[in-house]
Amino acid sequence: MGIRTYVVTGAASGIGAATADHLEKGGDRVIRCDVRDAEVTADLTTPEGREQLASGVAAASDGRVDGLIAVAGSAAPSPLTARLNFFGTIATLERLRPLLAASDRPRAVAVSSLSAIVAADDSIVGACLSMDEEAAVAAVTTAVEAGRGRIVYPSTKLALNRWLRRAAVSPAWAEAGIPLNAVAPGVVDTESARTMFLDDPATRALVSSMMPQPLGFPGPVSAIVSLLAWTVSPDNAFMTGQILYADGGAEATLRP
């Protein structure tokens, strides 16, 4: 089938780094993007960084990308999380779409989260879906100041899911022959997860009770990587607009 060119954002660590490694081991070309330690460095929380990403990938790819894996994200209780998880991810997808259109078998996937079904703030989600970045930042700030900082991350991922479901079947994506999907991991054993809650027994128990994973808690990063790689492979020729829960059975447990 020939060597494919993939773009991976958030490629300096965690799921992004593991996905980039997996694709390279398979013999494909990977353009790694992140704020550090990457072929294309760009801060997706800013308009300038989003433009740097687009121009940098265009130059590195010679104008054609076969697969895009948008992993870059943050779980911090901060306005930057809305700027990155929602607006930065959408900017990545939209600005690199012309490069995908140049491929004969283009594919795109974004990383969502199981947490989007657990809790969300309607004002954050609504501001995101209205594409009003400053209103979304204001809504996040209000939530954080009210002591509800943990609601920020799932809210941005729920907004991303809803945008993606709508966009995937639009002329710009489906009619252009570009499948667009999302993978929603449960809790997996990444360095950031260990730092945030897995290493603390009390927090680990709380998260496990909120997001029960019958197949194991935490799950393996390799399972997420394999699924991401498949969604952007030529084998995925007829699936679009789907949120794929790779969560050890948590979504089925919470929404039977």
Side-chain angles (χ1 to χ4, degrees):
M1 291 189 294
I3 295 174
R4 286 169 63 82
T5 297
Y6 292 108
V7 173
V8 180
T9 69
S13 62
I15 291 172
T19 302
D21 290 345
H22 175 86
L23 293 169
E24 286 180 340
K25 288 177 182 176
D28 291 308
R29 164 84 197 285
V30 178
I31 300 171
R32 297 179 184 237
C33 308
D34 211 311
V35 292
R36 59 176 174 81
D37 301 331
E39 182 175 354
V40 175
T41 56
D43 181 356
L44 296 177
T45 66
T46 70
E48 296 80 11
R50 296 163 193 167
E51 181 56 39
Q52 288 172 1
L53 175 79
S55 59
V57 170
S61 66
D62 293 325
R64 192 196 81 182
V65 168
D66 298 299
L68 168 60
I69 305 98
V71 183
S74 170
S78 163
L80 291 179
T81 295
R83 293 193 187 276
L84 177 57
N85 292 6
F86 185 78
F87 294 98
T89 299
I90 290 174
T92 297
L93 293 166
E94 294 284 18
R95 295 188 184 209
L96 299 188
R97 189 181 61 212
L99 305 181
L100 287 165
S103 170
D104 60 348
R105 290 169 297 179
R107 311 282 187 265
V109 65
V111 171
S112 182
S113 172
L114 168 70
S115 67
I117 74 167
V118 176
D121 181 283
D122 289 341
S123 61
I124 297 174
V125 175
C128 287
L129 291 175
S130 67
M131 303 308 294
D132 189 334
E133 188 164 353
E134 297 313 312
V137 165
V140 168
T141 301
T142 297
V144 172
E145 291 176 347
R148 301 174 62 244
R150 289 186 178 178
I151 205 74
V152 175
Y153 177 75
S155 299
T156 60
K157 293 300 188 178
L158 178 59
L160 176 62
N161 289 353
R162 292 180 176 175
W163 177 89
L164 186 143
R165 293 271 291 172
R166 182 174 60 201
V169 293
S170 70
W173 290 92
E175 292 182 23
I178 310 173
L180 170 63
N181 296 283
V183 168
V187 178
V188 295
D189 191 13
T190 62
E191 182 179 350
S192 61
R194 289 193 294 271
T195 300
M196 290 177 62
F197 54 84
L198 289 177
D199 288 344
D200 178 69
T203 308
R204 179 185 178 120
L206 174 63
V207 174
S208 178
S209 67
M210 293 176 61
M211 295 187 286
Q213 300 181 175
L215 282 180
F217 183 94
V221 173
S222 59
I224 310 304
V225 168
S226 296
L227 184 55
L228 288 169
W230 180 82
T231 61
V232 292
S233 73
D235 289 340
N236 174 27
F238 204 56
M239 180 185 70
T240 197
Q242 299 304 302
I243 313 300
L244 305 176
Y245 292 95
D247 59 6
E251 190 269 343
T253 301
L254 295 169
R255 300 198 297 195

